[in-house]
Amino acid sequence: MNLLIIYEHQLLADGLKVILEPNPSILSVSLLSLEQVSAQSIQSIAPDVLLIDCQQYHLQLANVLDDLSVQNTKPATFLIGGKQWFPNPSSVTKVFQMNNGLQDLLAELNALSINSSQKRISEIHQTPFFSKYGISLREAQVIAYVMQGESSKSISEKLFISVHTVNTHKRNIYQKLSVPNERELIKFVQSKFKTEYSYKSKN
C-alpha cells in the first residue's frame, strides 16, 4: 500500500510512519513545504491512500488534489478533522477526529494495507512475474505476509503450517528471487510488481 501523508502536525505524521512501517510505502509532506515538492515525486508513489491533516483551505494542497484527479488517481482519502473546507467533500472516504479517532484510523489503514498486499500478490499470479520466477501459491502467501511485516511464527499460525515450513518457503523464495533477506525481498517484489503491473496495464 502506498500512503501519501500531507500534514499540518509533524508529531502526527512521525507517529504514523513509525507505527505503519515497514508495510506501506510512505511519502509524508508538510503543508509548509508543499510548494517545493515536485508533482513527479507525488505521482511516482501512486498513492492508494491520501491522508490529510489540515484544518483549513490550502491552495497548494488543492493543486495536489487537482493533479491526482487529472491523473485519474482515486486514492482512499482520509481527513483528520472536519471536511468543511475540502474542495470536493463527496470524494472524502472518511473523516477521523484528531484525538479519539486516531485508533479507528490506524485500524482502517491496517485493513487497507492487508487487502492491498493480498490483492497485489494475487495479481502477480496473473503477470509474467509468476511464470518467470516460479513462485508457488503458498510462497506467494508467505510473501504477502512478509510484506505485511509478519514474523515466521505469525505466518505459521495464519497458514496453519510449522515455523520450520515457513522458513523453508522463505529460503526457497530468496533463492528463486536472488535476494538475501526479507528487507530485500520486499524491495524486490515491490519494484518488480510495479514493472509488471505497468507492462500489464499498457497491453
Side-chain angles (χ1 to χ4, degrees), residues 161-175:
I161 57 179
S162 71
V163 173
H164 174 75
T165 301
V166 172
N167 289 331
T168 298
H169 283 311
K170 285 184 177 180
R171 285 194 298 272
N172 291 338
I173 290 165
Y174 298 159
Q175 185 175 10

Side-chain angles (χ1 to χ4, degrees), residues 27-75:
L27 174 64
S28 61
V29 182
S30 164
L31 280 170
L32 297 176
S33 63
L34 202 53
E35 292 182 19
Q36 287 122 33
V37 178
S38 68
Q40 287 80 7
S41 62
I42 291 176
Q43 290 168 11
S44 67
I45 193 174
D48 301 301
V49 177
L50 175 59
L51 176 58
I52 301 173
D53 165 34
C54 178
Q55 304 306 309
Q56 57 188 351
Y57 180 82
H58 190 281
L59 178 60
Q60 291 301 322
L61 175 54
N63 290 339
V64 167
L65 297 175
D66 286 343
D67 287 343
L68 290 174
S69 176
V70 168
Q71 299 167 40
N72 291 320
T73 302
K74 295 182 179 178

Side-chain angles (χ1 to χ4, degrees), residues 128-136 139 176-178 188 192 196:
F129 183 99
F130 175 67
S131 57
K132 181 176 181 180
Y133 296 99
I135 302 299
S136 70
E139 288 167 348
K176 288 179 180 181
L177 303 184
S178 300
F188 181 90
K192 288 294 180 182
E196 298 291 359

Side-chain angles (χ1 to χ4, degrees), residues 9-21 106:
H9 302 89
Q10 179 79 50
L11 188 59
L12 173 65
D14 289 347
L16 285 172
K17 287 172 71 175
V18 169
I19 293 169
L20 294 170
E21 285 181 340
L106 291 174

Side-chain angles (χ1 to χ4, degrees), residues 1-3 23-25 46-49 108-124 144 147-148 190 193:
M1 179 182 75
N2 296 329
L3 174 62
N23 299 339
S25 297
D48 301 301
V49 177
E108 191 87 26
L109 290 174
N110 186 53
L112 283 172
S113 179
I114 291 172
N115 291 339
S116 175
S117 180
Q118 294 287 6
K119 180 183 176 185
R120 290 186 179 198
I121 293 301
S122 174
E123 287 177 340
I124 283 172
M147 294 179 75
Q148 292 164 30
Q190 286 176 336
F193 176 79

